[in-house]
Amino acid sequence: MVYKFRIISDEVDDFLREIQIDSEASFYDLHEAILKSTGYKDDQMTSFFICDDDWEKETEITLEDMGSGSSEEDTYIMRETPLSELLEDEKQKMIYVFDPLAERVFFIELSEIITGKDLDKAVCSRKNGEAPQQIIDFDEQMNTNAALDLDENFYGDQDYDMEDFDPEGFDINEGSGNPYDEDKY
């Protein structure tokens, strides 16, 4: 069988990739196909998450064995896990974390299962838009944020006047003297 995945980003509106890959290929093969289709380097600790219909993470497939220590929890490693082991239904949703430090992701849907066909290697069958930058440089982002114009009107009503504040409308001594003396704390 061939799985056809549709990949989108919430950062770039016109970004779309469709990747067709054999159902017996591993999650690592899909990972490599995504990197190739986006031009990303293979230098991040990426992960896939199988999701429910509301994109809530359920099962993680990691690039490397993270040695969680807990033998009760199944661990899946990309190189060792065939796609067909965890994916069997059309419209199945996944998240691919490509920038783990900033928790940036692609949204992936198994858009079609093509039976009676096999593929030797993954194929990017559709490519629209530019991929978002692979990793965000935090220093660069802080410099960008610092350049925002944060004048006195930034927090809201520029017509606010401190003279309009009525401190007598607030009784800050209401209740017992120290709120932390009560038994409920």
Side-chain angles (χ1 to χ4, degrees):
M1 289 188 297
V2 172
Y3 286 166
K4 184 183 199 178
F5 292 101
R6 184 177 183 92
I7 303 168
I8 60 171
S9 165
D10 62 351
E11 294 178 41
V12 178
D13 290 339
D14 66 343
F15 173 82
L16 171 73
R17 298 291 185 271
E18 278 185 357
I19 293 179
Q20 294 184 29
I21 189 168
D22 197 87
S23 62
E24 293 307 311
S26 69
F27 276 88
Y28 186 79
D29 296 326
L30 179 59
H31 156 77
E32 284 190 315
I34 293 170
L35 293 179
K36 186 176 177 186
S37 77
T38 55
Y40 289 172
K41 293 180 193 156
D42 191 1
D43 62 356
Q44 298 297 311
M45 285 303 296
T46 59
S47 290
F48 286 99
F49 286 91
I50 307 294
C51 299
D52 65 14
D53 288 340
D54 296 322
W55 297 100
E56 295 295 323
K57 296 175 182 176
E58 293 182 336
T59 305
E60 182 177 17
I61 304 95
T62 57
L63 185 59
E64 302 290 331
D65 185 355
M66 304 309 254
S68 64
S70 162
S71 58
E72 291 175 21
E73 202 174 304
D74 287 335
T75 55
Y76 296 98
I77 291 107
M78 287 184 199
R79 288 183 196 272
E80 300 170 4
T81 311
L83 295 168
S84 59
E85 184 175 333
L86 298 174
L87 301 170
E88 50 197 36
D89 300 320
E90 285 188 2
K91 305 298 177 206
Q92 176 67 59
K93 291 174 172 43
M94 287 194 299
I95 289 176
Y96 175 72
V97 180
F98 63 87
D99 183 358
L101 292 177
E103 295 183 10
R104 295 169 57 234
V105 303
F106 287 136
F107 296 92
I108 303 176
E109 184 178 77
L110 177 51
S111 59
E112 188 179 354
I113 298 174
I114 305 163
T115 55
K117 276 182 76 175
D118 294 318
L119 276 177
D120 291 334
K121 63 180 187 167
V123 176
C124 181
S125 57
R126 187 168 173 197
K127 190 173 181 176
N128 292 17
E130 291 296 315
Q133 187 176 327
Q134 183 175 6
I135 54 172
I136 291 179
D137 181 346
F138 286 106
D139 293 333
E140 185 180 304
Q141 187 170 10
M142 292 309 291
N143 290 339
T144 305
N145 288 347
L148 290 174
D149 184 16
L150 303 179
D151 63 11
E152 68 273 4
N153 299 331
F154 177 72
Y155 288 104
D157 189 356
Q158 58 266 26
D159 298 328
Y160 177 78
D161 185 356
M162 194 58 184
E163 298 294 318
D164 294 339
F165 180 67
D166 178 15
E168 292 169 14
F170 295 92
D171 185 2
I172 56 173
N173 295 322
E174 202 171 279
S176 65
N178 186 347
Y180 299 105
D181 289 344
E182 296 180 30
D183 291 335
K184 65 181 178 182
Y185 292 102

PDB file of all heavy atoms in Angstrom, residues 24 29 32 58 62 64-65 84 100 119 143 156 159 169:
ATOM      1  N   GLU A  24       4.977   0.277   4.343  1.00  0.00           N
ATOM      2  CA  GLU A  24       5.955  -0.489   5.124  1.00  0.00           C
ATOM      3  C   GLU A  24       7.236   0.295   5.390  1.00  0.00           C
ATOM      4  O   GLU A  24       8.136  -0.197   6.059  1.00  0.00           O
ATOM      5  CB  GLU A  24       6.277  -1.819   4.413  1.00  0.00           C
ATOM      6  CG  GLU A  24       5.090  -2.776   4.381  1.00  0.00           C
ATOM      7  CD  GLU A  24       4.480  -3.035   5.767  1.00  0.00           C
ATOM      8  OE1 GLU A  24       5.227  -3.335   6.722  1.00  0.00           O
ATOM      9  OE2 GLU A  24       3.251  -2.909   5.901  1.00  0.00           O
ATOM     10  N   ASP A  29      11.956   7.100   7.360  1.00  0.00           N
ATOM     11  CA  ASP A  29      11.882   7.378   5.921  1.00  0.00           C
ATOM     12  C   ASP A  29      10.969   8.581   5.653  1.00  0.00           C
ATOM     13  O   ASP A  29      11.277   9.424   4.807  1.00  0.00           O
ATOM     14  CB  ASP A  29      11.359   6.146   5.159  1.00  0.00           C
ATOM     15  CG  ASP A  29      12.306   4.953   5.257  1.00  0.00           C
ATOM     16  OD1 ASP A  29      13.539   5.161   5.306  1.00  0.00           O
ATOM     17  OD2 ASP A  29      11.803   3.807   5.300  1.00  0.00           O
ATOM     18  N   GLU A  32      12.854  11.714   6.694  1.00  0.00           N
ATOM     19  CA  GLU A  32      13.818  12.115   5.660  1.00  0.00           C
ATOM     20  C   GLU A  32      13.123  12.766   4.465  1.00  0.00           C
ATOM     21  O   GLU A  32      13.628  13.738   3.901  1.00  0.00           O
ATOM     22  CB  GLU A  32      14.635  10.908   5.191  1.00  0.00           C
ATOM     23  CG  GLU A  32      15.697  10.497   6.184  1.00  0.00           C
ATOM     24  CD  GLU A  32      16.644   9.455   5.603  1.00  0.00           C
ATOM     25  OE1 GLU A  32      16.172   8.490   4.957  1.00  0.00           O
ATOM     26  OE2 GLU A  32      17.852   9.624   5.777  1.00  0.00           O
ATOM     27  N   GLU A  58      -1.062  11.848  21.181  1.00  0.00           N
ATOM     28  CA  GLU A  58      -1.316  10.569  21.851  1.00  0.00           C
ATOM     29  C   GLU A  58      -0.046   9.711  21.942  1.00  0.00           C
ATOM     30  O   GLU A  58       0.392   9.392  23.028  1.00  0.00           O
ATOM     31  CB  GLU A  58      -2.422   9.805  21.123  1.00  0.00           C
ATOM     32  CG  GLU A  58      -3.763  10.493  21.234  1.00  0.00           C
ATOM     33  CD  GLU A  58      -4.899   9.733  20.563  1.00  0.00           C
ATOM     34  OE1 GLU A  58      -4.657   8.930  19.647  1.00  0.00           O
ATOM     35  OE2 GLU A  58      -6.050   9.936  20.976  1.00  0.00           O
ATOM     36  N   THR A  62      10.004   8.928  18.440  1.00  0.00           N
ATOM     37  CA  THR A  62      11.178   9.786  18.569  1.00  0.00           C
ATOM     38  C   THR A  62      12.261   9.400  17.562  1.00  0.00           C
ATOM     39  O   THR A  62      12.310   8.266  17.073  1.00  0.00           O
ATOM     40  CB  THR A  62      11.769   9.696  19.988  1.00  0.00           C
ATOM     41  OG1 THR A  62      12.093   8.341  20.279  1.00  0.00           O
ATOM     42  CG2 THR A  62      10.796  10.223  21.018  1.00  0.00           C
ATOM     43  N   GLU A  64      15.520   9.320  18.295  1.00  0.00           N
ATOM     44  CA  GLU A  64      16.452   8.461  19.030  1.00  0.00           C
ATOM     45  C   GLU A  64      15.743   7.882  20.244  1.00  0.00           C
ATOM     46  O   GLU A  64      14.766   8.441  20.712  1.00  0.00           O
ATOM     47  CB  GLU A  64      17.661   9.276  19.501  1.00  0.00           C
ATOM     48  CG  GLU A  64      18.439   9.968  18.403  1.00  0.00           C
ATOM     49  CD  GLU A  64      19.197   9.007  17.515  1.00  0.00           C
ATOM     50  OE1 GLU A  64      19.599   7.924  17.994  1.00  0.00           O
ATOM     51  OE2 GLU A  64      19.396   9.332  16.328  1.00  0.00           O
ATOM     52  N   ASP A  65      16.277   6.798  20.761  1.00  0.00           N
ATOM     53  CA  ASP A  65      15.731   6.207  21.975  1.00  0.00           C
ATOM     54  C   ASP A  65      16.088   7.127  23.131  1.00  0.00           C
ATOM     55  O   ASP A  65      17.263   7.329  23.434  1.00  0.00           O
ATOM     56  CB  ASP A  65      16.326   4.811  22.198  1.00  0.00           C
ATOM     57  CG  ASP A  65      15.716   4.089  23.388  1.00  0.00           C
ATOM     58  OD1 ASP A  65      14.900   4.710  24.110  1.00  0.00           O
ATOM     59  OD2 ASP A  65      16.043   2.916  23.599  1.00  0.00           O
ATOM     60  N   SER A  84       2.905   1.538   8.941  1.00  0.00           N
ATOM     61  CA  SER A  84       1.693   0.718   9.043  1.00  0.00           C
ATOM     62  C   SER A  84       1.434   0.204  10.459  1.00  0.00           C
ATOM     63  O   SER A  84       0.322  -0.193  10.783  1.00  0.00           O
ATOM     64  CB  SER A  84       1.767  -0.464   8.075  1.00  0.00           C
ATOM     65  OG  SER A  84       2.902  -1.258   8.378  1.00  0.00           O
ATOM     66  N   PRO A 100      12.172  21.479  18.038  1.00  0.00           N
ATOM     67  CA  PRO A 100      11.727  21.100  19.390  1.00  0.00           C
ATOM     68  C   PRO A 100      11.903  22.188  20.444  1.00  0.00           C
ATOM     69  O   PRO A 100      11.097  22.271  21.354  1.00  0.00           O
ATOM     70  CB  PRO A 100      12.582  19.868  19.715  1.00  0.00           C
ATOM     71  CG  PRO A 100      13.723  19.900  18.762  1.00  0.00           C
ATOM     72  CD  PRO A 100      13.289  20.665  17.554  1.00  0.00           C
ATOM     73  N   LEU A 119       5.864   1.547  -3.365  1.00  0.00           N
ATOM     74  CA  LEU A 119       6.868   2.540  -3.743  1.00  0.00           C
ATOM     75  C   LEU A 119       8.205   2.144  -3.145  1.00  0.00           C
ATOM     76  O   LEU A 119       8.283   1.747  -1.984  1.00  0.00           O
ATOM     77  CB  LEU A 119       6.494   3.925  -3.205  1.00  0.00           C
ATOM     78  CG  LEU A 119       5.528   4.789  -3.990  1.00  0.00           C
ATOM     79  CD1 LEU A 119       5.246   6.085  -3.234  1.00  0.00           C
ATOM     80  CD2 LEU A 119       6.067   5.109  -5.371  1.00  0.00           C
ATOM     81  N   ASN A 143      15.705  40.480  19.519  1.00  0.00           N
ATOM     82  CA  ASN A 143      16.031  41.768  18.900  1.00  0.00           C
ATOM     83  C   ASN A 143      14.844  42.296  18.109  1.00  0.00           C
ATOM     84  O   ASN A 143      14.564  43.479  18.104  1.00  0.00           O
ATOM     85  CB  ASN A 143      17.262  41.640  17.997  1.00  0.00           C
ATOM     86  CG  ASN A 143      18.513  41.410  18.804  1.00  0.00           C
ATOM     87  OD1 ASN A 143      18.550  41.713  19.991  1.00  0.00           O
ATOM     88  ND2 ASN A 143      19.537  40.869  18.173  1.00  0.00           N
ATOM     89  N   GLY A 156      -2.967  50.115  26.193  1.00  0.00           N
ATOM     90  CA  GLY A 156      -4.398  50.317  26.059  1.00  0.00           C
ATOM     91  C   GLY A 156      -4.794  51.764  25.921  1.00  0.00           C
ATOM     92  O   GLY A 156      -4.226  52.499  25.134  1.00  0.00           O
ATOM     93  N   ASP A 159      -6.270  57.565  26.533  1.00  0.00           N
ATOM     94  CA  ASP A 159      -6.991  58.657  27.177  1.00  0.00           C
ATOM     95  C   ASP A 159      -7.036  58.498  28.702  1.00  0.00           C
ATOM     96  O   ASP A 159      -7.602  59.330  29.400  1.00  0.00           O
ATOM     97  CB  ASP A 159      -8.434  58.741  26.648  1.00  0.00           C
ATOM     98  CG  ASP A 159      -8.460  59.033  25.159  1.00  0.00           C
ATOM     99  OD1 ASP A 159      -7.547  59.739  24.683  1.00  0.00           O
ATOM    100  OD2 ASP A 159      -9.378  58.540  24.479  1.00  0.00           O
ATOM    101  N   GLY A 169     -12.192  53.857  46.109  1.00  0.00           N
ATOM    102  CA  GLY A 169     -13.116  52.845  45.609  1.00  0.00           C
ATOM    103  C   GLY A 169     -12.619  51.434  45.881  1.00  0.00           C
ATOM    104  O   GLY A 169     -13.343  50.460  45.739  1.00  0.00           O
TER     105      GLY A 169
END
